Amino acid sequence: MRTVGVEEELLVVDPSGRPVPLGPAALEVAARRGEGETVEEHDRAEREDGDTRVVDDPAARLVPELKAQQLEFGTPVCTGLEDVAADLRHWRERADAAARGVGARVAALASSPVRVEPRSTPGERYTQMAETFGLTAAEQLTCGCHVHVAVDDDEEGVAVLNRIRVWLPVLTALTANSPFWLGRDSGHASYRAQAWNRWPSSGPTELFADAAAYHRLVQELLATETIVDTGMVYFDARLSERWPTVEVRVADVALRAEDAVTLAGLVRGLVGTAAGEWRAGVPAPAVRSEVVRMAAWRASRSGLTGDLVHPATGRPAPAAQVVTALLEHVRPALAAAGDEQRVSGGVAAVLDRGTGADLQRRVFAQTGDLTAVVRAAVEATHS
């Protein structure tokens, strides 16, 4: 049984539905309760360890993110999806409790529907990022969901990265939850994916010959003195710096906790399937990164409401058909982990009711009020 952990970033909002820079103040509340790190504590630890320890540490807690309008947490290392579900709901509730302590709430929104001036979180690392990346960093108020799954070693991890890359755009479509961008409809189901890809180290990678080739690329990126540290190796999927896990980073934070559980199950299924293929000598799909990037763009644009690029053909196909293909691809691994029923049901639920992006647009169509969208998201975050 491969262990799994989930990291979520949440938006801090006031009761009216507007993002507020109270994340650091909420963390002071959480720290007093033994449930979080202050900005100063986290900045010191990140300078020492890099941006890789939130999920990897078995002691889950609330921590800062790039913007003061955010909070972040990582679950403990989990074996079963029932544990993932319980931990996600617990830490969403604790994040909300900390925010309530300073007169705010948290919402699982991957971007801010309403116009807001993002404010950088204090700290040496975040200040360096702001100075280095200008408007890219200044506007980067986005919330993602990252899933870690255990691998035996870096060789298996790189073999997994080579084989899951073509399926990652489907996960972006399934989790799309950022249709609005600072006061307007972006025309995308996941505009977070577009904003995120402004970072120079983001996006899909080419195939790696082995783990040594992966680590050489990381060192070559660092040698350019462009990114601040290894924590800014923002590949769509990467190896953990400190622990034997693959981290998949393409998803919007899910509006509903159960959708994040579905995502975690699918990622574990992808990792298990890819590792099995590698050991059986099945070659990785020889798809260029430009094609993977194009597939990711289409997934970001339409979510589940249009065609996606089918990984098996490289041609467009209805989203439901491509999602079903993903489910069939990982079904044996899901069954082996005991996840088949829960993940299949979760996928069916998303296909039936739509994504977080669909819900946000429905609320806006009914109310014409983007703050109402945020308030609805607060309720869905804790449902």
Side-chain angles (χ1 to χ4, degrees):
M1 181 73 72
R2 294 178 186 273
T3 55
V4 60
V6 178
E7 176 185 354
E8 287 195 327
E9 298 156 356
L10 303 170
L11 200 63
V12 180
V13 301
D14 67 18
S16 73
R18 297 187 178 279
V20 286
L22 294 175
L27 287 169
E28 296 283 350
V29 173
R32 290 195 295 271
R33 296 171 177 170
E35 296 175 342
E37 291 182 352
T38 65
V39 169
E40 293 77 14
E41 291 169 339
H42 193 69
D43 183 56
R44 182 171 60 252
E46 282 198 326
R47 282 185 276 113
E48 295 170 356
D49 297 337
D51 188 29
T52 62
R53 61 195 195 86
V54 175
V55 168
D56 295 332
D57 194 310
R61 60 195 174 277
L62 302 172
V63 296
E65 244 301 328
L66 177 63
K67 297 303 179 184
Q69 290 96 338
Q70 294 174 282
L71 289 177
E72 179 183 9
F73 71 84
T75 70
V77 176
C78 300
T79 301
L81 292 186
E82 64 278 6
D83 298 326
V84 175
D87 286 324
L88 283 172
R89 290 188 170 90
H90 172 79
W91 283 102
R92 284 186 176 203
E93 187 274 330
R94 299 321 301 157
D96 197 53
R100 283 177 182 266
V102 293
R105 302 292 303 275
V106 295
L109 288 167
S111 64
S112 173
V114 302
R115 182 169 293 280
V116 60
E117 186 69 31
R119 185 180 300 178
S120 292
T121 298
E124 182 179 322
R125 185 173 185 269
Y126 292 144
T127 298
Q128 185 178 359
M129 290 174 67
E131 293 173 350
T132 301
F133 294 99
L135 199 60
T136 295
E139 293 184 344
Q140 195 62 236
L141 180 57
T142 61
C143 296
C145 178
H146 306 156
V147 179
H148 286 246
V149 177
V151 290
D152 289 345
D153 53 33
D154 283 0
E155 291 299 341
E156 182 179 73
V158 167
V160 165
L161 295 180
N162 285 343
R163 287 162 176 79
I164 68 173
R165 56 200 283 276
V166 296
W167 291 102
L168 298 184
V170 189
L171 301 182
T172 299
L174 268 171
T175 62
N177 188 30
S178 48
F180 299 106
W181 181 254
L182 304 181
R184 62 177 295 180
D185 193 315
S186 68
H188 288 255
S190 171
Y191 195 72
R192 179 207 59 86
Q194 299 305 309
W196 186 256
N197 279 325
R198 298 176 187 176
W199 295 113
S201 54
S202 65
T205 55
E206 287 291 350
L207 298 176
F208 297 103
D210 50 29
Y214 174 92
H215 291 300
R216 279 197 301 273
L217 175 60
V218 171
Q219 292 306 310
E220 288 169 5
L221 293 179
L222 290 171
T224 69
E225 298 184 3
T226 303
I227 58 176
V228 170
D229 51 34
T230 55
M232 286 198 69
V233 176
Y234 289 154
F235 300 154
D236 288 348
R238 68 184 185 185
L239 300 182
S240 168
E241 190 71 15
R242 298 180 61 218
W243 299 90
T245 66
V246 163
E247 180 189 5
V248 172
R249 303 171 52 84
V250 295
D252 283 5
V253 67
L255 193 55
R256 303 168 181 87
E258 187 59 32
D259 289 352
V261 177
T262 300
L263 171 68
L266 286 170
V267 174
R268 177 156 69 174
L270 277 169
V271 171
T273 300
E277 290 176 341
W278 173 58
R279 295 190 185 283
V282 178
V287 178
R288 288 184 61 97
S289 61
E290 294 91 340
V291 176
V292 178
R293 186 179 293 275
M294 192 75 70
W297 189 93
R298 290 195 65 153
S300 164
R301 180 71 167 87
S302 59
L304 298 180
T305 63
D307 287 349
L308 300 175
V309 176
H310 199 302
T313 65
R315 301 293 184 268
Q321 179 182 328
V322 178
V323 170
T324 300
L326 167 62
L327 193 58
E328 292 306 311
H329 177 66
V330 301
R331 192 176 295 279
L334 295 177
D339 297 342
E340 183 178 9
Q341 184 174 354
R342 185 163 197 160
V343 173
S344 296
V347 168
V350 175
L351 289 174
D352 180 57
R353 58 167 155 73
T355 62
D358 297 323
L359 183 144
Q360 289 189 55
R361 283 181 167 136
R362 284 197 298 270
V363 173
F364 184 66
Q366 294 164 2
T367 65
D369 181 2
L370 288 173
T371 61
V373 174
V374 179
R375 293 193 298 272
V378 170
E379 296 307 311
T381 298
H382 307 289
S383 61

